[in-house]
Amino acid sequence: MQNFIGGEWQDAESGAWYERENPARTRDIIGRAPLSDARDVDRAVAAAKAAYPAWRAMSAPARGAILHRAADCLAAKGPDLAVLMARETGKPIVEAEAEAVRAADILRFFAAEAERSFGEVYEGRDAQALLYTRRTPLGVVGIISPWNFPLAIPAWKIAPSLVFGNTVVFKPSREAAHTAGAFVACLAEAGLPPGVLNLVVGGGETIGQAIAAHPDVVAVSFTGSNAVGSTLAQTLTARGAKIQLELGGKNPAVVLADADLDLATELIVLGAVQNAGQRCTATSRVIVERDVYEPLRERLLERFSEITVGDPLDRGTLVGPLVSAQRLKAVLGMMARGEAEGAKRLYGGERLSGPGGEDGYFVRPALFDAVSPESVLAQEEIFGPVLSIIPVRDFEEGIAVANGVRYGLSAAVFTNRLDRALAFAERIDAGVVRINGQTAGVEPHVPFGGMKASSSYSREQGRAAIEFFTQTKTVTIRPPSVS
Ligand code: UN1
């Protein structure tokens, strides 16, 4: 695959490239992709800057019409895109197909944003005047996205950027560049003018940083790790650029004594292991009231033993490989640290070989018990299929433990009691709260983001997107003379 700059597919200026392997069978090479550097970022930003005046001058519904056509393209190519995504990132095919549909839905939601309000009318102090606000675009925005939702996250950042009149420099994760290329191709085929959306592929340290440092990039929206997010934030805030960060999670599912344990078991396990736990919204802590600790533990153990780990292209697979050798090493290392701290491994956690005994980055989903709320397994984001059980005395202690981490992205409670459900929704530090639901999974039309170290206080998706991707102009119009 190639970069896409100013409407042209092209190699990196340096001519350098890397090979992306299938994480389920490392000898299967997906293809090669450019290793870009600051020169490619400069060209992409220049193209986006040149395209900006005409793009912002186009009517919003005309911009939306292009997004509608791109959604049609994504829907038509969905099955092929899902196979590419599964091969490139290891996402199981059933999840990958659902994500392709979701990406098209996201594009359609934002296409329709063009036909909703871009401002408000007020009554002013001057009765003769028309006083209104208008949402105007920012300019050239940078989009830096991860590999775990290689279509949905680019869609929910790029679609609002475009419909509100910005032009874009897009840097996808190295591990998902081919899927990103296919997404950009749909937007190009839908008639996006050259330079409005530019794709630059390569290492984050090089080009992510070059995008953040570029004086013509006025805003950056980033989803990824806290470490990278804070480096980008320093560069961006130092030069006064606008920033949106979606970072890690350590999401709890609190199970109260009156809960439906079968429902809780199913949704907790899916929340923990879908996409091999590589979701910032993954369930990673089960905080359970002592009265139901043993029956819940037995159910979880039984459900874990039924999980099918295998080829992401096989429709029966629930859990595929981790995305890379680096992730596999990190996840195995955290489990070893957890055991050294006294957590008891009830199930899984061992490395597995790929389909047909080939090399792959597989780990058996792991269930830990007797995890202390202070331990690494209870505090740090693992980004792997690892679930820790933390028993608590009662609801009060459950809330305290649930809130006792630096993150605050999503949280679930399982209970039949309305008073407890309402108290949980009120007191939990999380941007997404589910009562008798999974911690993961978000809808395109509602705001998404976290509290504390999980986000930068801004929200993505739905009508919230207009807040980040526009700025408000307040206009007063008076007749030249008053008769
Ligand atoms: C979801 O749970 O469907 O990177 C979306 C992530 C989040 C998105 C989660 N930003 O996992």
Side-chain angles (χ1 to χ4, degrees):
M1 59 101 36
Q2 291 177 299
N3 287 336
F4 186 67
I5 298 175
E8 307 275 342
W9 295 96
Q10 52 193 259
D11 290 331
E13 188 93 27
S14 66
W17 48 269
Y18 67 96
E19 278 183 339
R20 173 61 187 159
E21 81 273 17
N22 177 342
R25 322 179 138 77
T26 55
R27 270 169 301 171
D28 173 23
I29 301 301
I30 309 302
R32 52 189 238 181
L35 270 181
S36 308
D37 61 30
R39 290 171 294 173
D40 306 291
V41 170
D42 284 346
R43 300 220 326 269
V45 175
K49 194 175 174 185
Y52 177 61
W55 182 245
R56 75 168 288 179
M58 189 187 275
S59 79
R63 295 193 295 256
I66 296 174
L67 291 183
H68 271 304
R69 285 199 293 276
D72 293 343
C73 169
L74 282 182
K77 292 188 180 168
D80 293 340
L81 285 171
V83 171
L84 175 61
M85 192 193 308
R87 284 182 65 223
E88 188 175 35
T89 70
K91 179 169 289 204
I93 189 73
V94 175
E95 287 183 61
E97 284 170 356
E99 185 174 341
V101 171
R102 173 175 173 179
D105 286 349
I106 291 167
L107 256 53
R108 292 203 172 98
F109 175 86
F110 286 108
E113 276 291 80
E115 292 166 348
R116 299 186 190 105
S117 167
F118 276 49
E120 291 171 331
V121 179
Y122 295 81
E123 288 298 297
R125 296 285 181 272
D126 179 350
Q128 300 287 327
L130 171 62
L131 175 58
Y132 65 93
T133 60
R134 181 154 191 234
R135 295 281 183 170
T136 62
L138 302 172
V140 177
V141 304
I143 300 298
I144 305 180
S145 65
W147 42 265
N148 62 339
F149 286 93
L151 284 180
I153 293 178
W156 81 51
K157 292 179 186 295
I158 291 170
S161 305
L162 296 177
V163 81
F164 297 128
N166 304 287
T167 56
V168 175
V169 175
F170 169 34
K171 181 221 154 321
S173 158
R174 272 176 61 138
E175 278 87 21
H178 290 81
T179 310
F183 174 75
V184 169
C186 264
L187 280 151
E189 280 170 34
L192 212 56
V196 169
L197 172 61
N198 305 277
L199 172 72
V200 186
V201 173
E205 353 37 86
T206 319
I207 54 175
Q209 203 43 43
I211 290 171
H214 201 296
D216 290 333
V217 175
V218 295
V220 169
S221 176
F222 167 78
T223 295
S225 71
N226 282 65
V228 173
S230 73
T231 309
L232 289 172
Q234 280 168 28
T235 307
L236 288 156
T237 47
R239 63 177 185 82
K242 194 170 184 184
I243 182 154
Q244 178 175 55
L245 304 174
E246 285 302 331
L247 307 169
K250 190 70 198 169
N251 313 300
V254 176
V255 182
L256 299 180
D258 60 278
D260 177 334
L261 296 186
D262 292 331
L263 176 78
T265 301
E266 185 60 18
L267 296 182
I268 287 169
V269 173
L270 291 179
V273 307
Q274 278 181 328
N275 206 19
Q278 302 169 115
R279 301 193 279 188
C280 58
T281 48
T283 311
S284 80
R285 299 178 293 152
V286 184
I287 298 169
V288 53
E289 261 192 303
R290 277 205 200 284
D291 290 353
V292 289
Y293 164 58
E294 274 169 28
L296 183 72
R297 188 185 53 188
E298 290 319 304
R299 282 174 170 80
L300 289 171
L301 192 51
E302 196 188 324
R303 186 65 184 90
F304 261 75
S305 70
E306 293 163 5
I307 294 171
T308 46
V309 183
D311 188 344
L313 291 173
D314 182 340
R315 306 199 82 83
T317 293
L318 180 59
V319 176
L322 296 175
V323 75
S324 63
Q326 191 196 358
R327 285 295 335 137
L328 178 66
K329 189 163 171 247
V331 170
L332 293 172
M334 285 177 83
M335 287 192 283
R337 277 168 64 201
E339 281 191 288
E341 285 179 349
K344 188 165 156 239
R345 182 143 56 102
L346 285 182
Y347 185 83
E350 61 274 16
R351 218 198 135 161
L352 299 173
S353 56
E358 286 182 60
D359 262 2
Y361 308 127
F362 289 89
V363 62
R364 195 183 300 284
L367 181 63
F368 282 86
D369 192 17
V371 175
S372 141
E374 291 78 42
S375 72
V376 57
L377 290 180
Q379 289 290 329
E380 285 180 32
E381 181 173 55
I382 299 173
F383 232 63
V386 180
L387 183 65
S388 294
I389 306 178
I390 308 175
V392 291
R393 246 182 348 265
D394 55 16
F395 178 66
E396 282 306 318
E397 194 188 4
I399 288 274
V401 169
N403 282 338
V405 294
R406 69 186 177 119
Y407 297 108
L409 186 55
S410 65
V413 68
F414 291 89
T415 181
N416 289 326
R417 281 181 53 173
L418 183 58
D419 59 336
R420 290 277 163 85
L422 289 171
F424 184 85
E426 188 60 29
R427 292 170 59 192
I428 192 74
D429 299 335
V432 176
V433 183
R434 296 269 160 73
I435 312 297
N436 298 316
Q438 229 201 79
T439 58
V442 301
E443 299 209 39
H445 62 301
V446 292
F448 172 69
M451 294 181 177
K452 300 197 285 191
S454 291
S455 288
S456 55
Y457 295 97
S458 62
R459 293 290 178 263
E460 303 191 277
Q461 301 208 78
R463 289 244 77 199
I466 201 169
E467 300 288 337
F468 184 74
F469 290 108
T470 65
Q471 54 195 328
T472 298
K473 203 175 255 184
T474 304
V475 182
T476 308
I477 305 179
R478 281 192 87 246
S481 57
V482 181
S483 51

